[in-house]
mmCIF file of all heavy atoms in Angstrom:
data_model
loop_
_atom_site.group_PDB
_atom_site.id
_atom_site.type_symbol
_atom_site.label_atom_id
_atom_site.label_comp_id
_atom_site.label_asym_id
_atom_site.label_seq_id
_atom_site.Cartn_x
_atom_site.Cartn_y
_atom_site.Cartn_z
ATOM 1 N N PRO R 18 13.723 -8.219 -6.969
ATOM 2 C CA PRO R 18 12.997 -7.586 -5.926
ATOM 3 C C PRO R 18 13.114 -6.111 -5.933
ATOM 4 O O PRO R 18 14.136 -5.525 -6.479
ATOM 5 C CB PRO R 18 13.652 -8.148 -4.613
ATOM 6 C CG PRO R 18 15.020 -8.552 -5.098
ATOM 7 C CD PRO R 18 14.885 -8.945 -6.524
ATOM 8 N N THR R 31 5.269 -13.587 8.020
ATOM 9 C CA THR R 31 6.198 -12.640 7.485
ATOM 10 C C THR R 31 5.538 -11.505 6.782
ATOM 11 O O THR R 31 4.656 -11.747 5.962
ATOM 12 C CB THR R 31 7.168 -13.312 6.432
ATOM 13 O OG1 THR R 31 7.901 -14.388 7.129
ATOM 14 C CG2 THR R 31 8.210 -12.366 5.885
ATOM 15 N N MET R 34 6.528 -5.224 3.059
ATOM 16 C CA MET R 34 5.976 -3.948 2.825
ATOM 17 C C MET R 34 6.868 -3.268 1.778
ATOM 18 O O MET R 34 8.057 -3.332 1.816
ATOM 19 C CB MET R 34 5.910 -3.096 4.128
ATOM 20 C CG MET R 34 5.184 -1.766 3.914
ATOM 21 S SD MET R 34 6.350 -0.459 3.885
ATOM 22 C CE MET R 34 5.310 0.934 3.985
ATOM 23 N N ALA R 36 7.851 0.272 0.494
ATOM 24 C CA ALA R 36 7.751 1.734 0.897
ATOM 25 C C ALA R 36 7.360 2.649 -0.276
ATOM 26 O O ALA R 36 6.827 3.707 -0.017
ATOM 27 C CB ALA R 36 9.147 2.121 1.552
ATOM 28 N N ILE R 41 1.340 -3.875 1.461
ATOM 29 C CA ILE R 41 1.740 -4.854 2.505
ATOM 30 C C ILE R 41 1.126 -6.155 2.312
ATOM 31 O O ILE R 41 -0.035 -6.326 2.062
ATOM 32 C CB ILE R 41 1.268 -4.293 3.927
ATOM 33 C CG1 ILE R 41 1.876 -2.947 4.198
ATOM 34 C CG2 ILE R 41 1.726 -5.288 5.026
ATOM 35 C CD1 ILE R 41 1.349 -2.252 5.452
ATOM 36 N N LEU R 42 2.011 -7.210 2.417
ATOM 37 C CA LEU R 42 1.525 -8.556 2.319
ATOM 38 C C LEU R 42 1.941 -9.333 3.626
ATOM 39 O O LEU R 42 2.993 -9.121 4.118
ATOM 40 C CB LEU R 42 2.212 -9.298 1.169
ATOM 41 C CG LEU R 42 1.719 -9.007 -0.257
ATOM 42 C CD1 LEU R 42 2.627 -9.769 -1.208
ATOM 43 C CD2 LEU R 42 0.273 -9.423 -0.396
ATOM 44 N N MET R 52 8.455 -16.932 -1.695
ATOM 45 C CA MET R 52 8.896 -15.624 -2.127
ATOM 46 C C MET R 52 10.425 -15.524 -2.162
ATOM 47 O O MET R 52 10.954 -15.007 -3.091
ATOM 48 C CB MET R 52 8.332 -14.551 -1.119
ATOM 49 C CG MET R 52 8.777 -13.141 -1.589
ATOM 50 S SD MET R 52 8.499 -11.904 -0.244
ATOM 51 C CE MET R 52 9.707 -12.397 0.910
ATOM 52 N N ARG R 54 12.501 -17.954 -2.756
ATOM 53 C CA ARG R 54 12.982 -18.648 -3.929
ATOM 54 C C ARG R 54 12.731 -17.834 -5.198
ATOM 55 O O ARG R 54 13.545 -17.840 -6.122
ATOM 56 C CB ARG R 54 12.364 -20.044 -3.954
ATOM 57 C CG ARG R 54 12.880 -21.016 -2.937
ATOM 58 C CD ARG R 54 12.423 -22.432 -3.153
ATOM 59 N NE ARG R 54 11.026 -22.523 -3.028
ATOM 60 C CZ ARG R 54 10.311 -22.815 -1.960
ATOM 61 N NH1 ARG R 54 10.988 -22.896 -0.842
ATOM 62 N NH2 ARG R 54 9.042 -22.977 -1.942
ATOM 63 N N GLU R 60 12.667 -20.185 -8.494
ATOM 64 C CA GLU R 60 11.297 -20.686 -8.565
ATOM 65 C C GLU R 60 10.398 -19.542 -8.973
ATOM 66 O O GLU R 60 10.539 -18.353 -8.489
ATOM 67 C CB GLU R 60 10.928 -21.296 -7.233
ATOM 68 C CG GLU R 60 9.455 -21.757 -7.230
ATOM 69 C CD GLU R 60 9.051 -22.248 -5.818
ATOM 70 O OE1 GLU R 60 9.779 -23.083 -5.256
ATOM 71 O OE2 GLU R 60 8.035 -21.786 -5.307
ATOM 72 N N ARG R 81 12.585 -2.454 -15.426
ATOM 73 C CA ARG R 81 12.034 -1.250 -14.657
ATOM 74 C C ARG R 81 13.195 -0.649 -13.879
ATOM 75 O O ARG R 81 13.966 -1.306 -13.283
ATOM 76 C CB ARG R 81 10.924 -1.671 -13.699
ATOM 77 C CG ARG R 81 9.688 -1.898 -14.462
ATOM 78 C CD ARG R 81 8.534 -1.921 -13.612
ATOM 79 N NE ARG R 81 8.309 -0.885 -12.653
ATOM 80 C CZ ARG R 81 7.409 -0.953 -11.663
ATOM 81 N NH1 ARG R 81 6.706 -1.991 -11.510
ATOM 82 N NH2 ARG R 81 7.314 0.080 -10.853
ATOM 83 N N GLY R 91 9.033 12.654 -8.225
ATOM 84 C CA GLY R 91 9.483 13.875 -7.537
ATOM 85 C C GLY R 91 9.340 15.148 -8.344
ATOM 86 O O GLY R 91 8.846 16.180 -7.849
ATOM 87 N N CYS R 118 14.703 28.587 20.246
ATOM 88 C CA CYS R 118 15.115 29.955 20.276
ATOM 89 C C CYS R 118 15.384 30.402 21.658
ATOM 90 O O CYS R 118 15.995 31.427 21.966
ATOM 91 C CB CYS R 118 14.033 30.878 19.704
ATOM 92 S SG CYS R 118 13.962 30.772 17.879
ATOM 93 N N MET R 127 16.698 36.234 14.835
ATOM 94 C CA MET R 127 17.223 36.075 13.531
ATOM 95 C C MET R 127 18.048 37.305 13.108
ATOM 96 O O MET R 127 17.737 38.384 13.688
ATOM 97 C CB MET R 127 16.065 35.898 12.536
ATOM 98 C CG MET R 127 15.235 34.590 12.839
ATOM 99 S SD MET R 127 13.803 34.469 11.744
ATOM 100 C CE MET R 127 14.598 34.401 10.150
ATOM 101 N N GLY R 131 22.132 40.986 5.755
ATOM 102 C CA GLY R 131 23.417 41.698 5.701
ATOM 103 C C GLY R 131 24.028 41.932 7.085
ATOM 104 O O GLY R 131 25.121 42.514 7.171
ATOM 105 N N ARG R 135 26.835 39.388 14.850
ATOM 106 C CA ARG R 135 26.738 38.478 15.965
ATOM 107 C C ARG R 135 27.616 37.297 15.820
ATOM 108 O O ARG R 135 27.806 36.607 14.909
ATOM 109 C CB ARG R 135 25.351 38.026 16.203
ATOM 110 C CG ARG R 135 24.464 39.211 16.671
ATOM 111 C CD ARG R 135 23.118 38.725 16.956
ATOM 112 N NE ARG R 135 22.243 39.747 16.599
ATOM 113 C CZ ARG R 135 20.888 39.618 16.519
ATOM 114 N NH1 ARG R 135 20.381 38.606 16.865
ATOM 115 N NH2 ARG R 135 20.192 40.652 16.221
#
Side-chain angles (χ1 to χ4, degrees):
T31 298
M34 188 253 190
I41 299 174
L42 285 176
M52 180 194 70
R54 287 190 297 272
E60 178 185 306
R81 283 193 53 194
C118 286
M127 297 176 64
R135 290 186 217 172

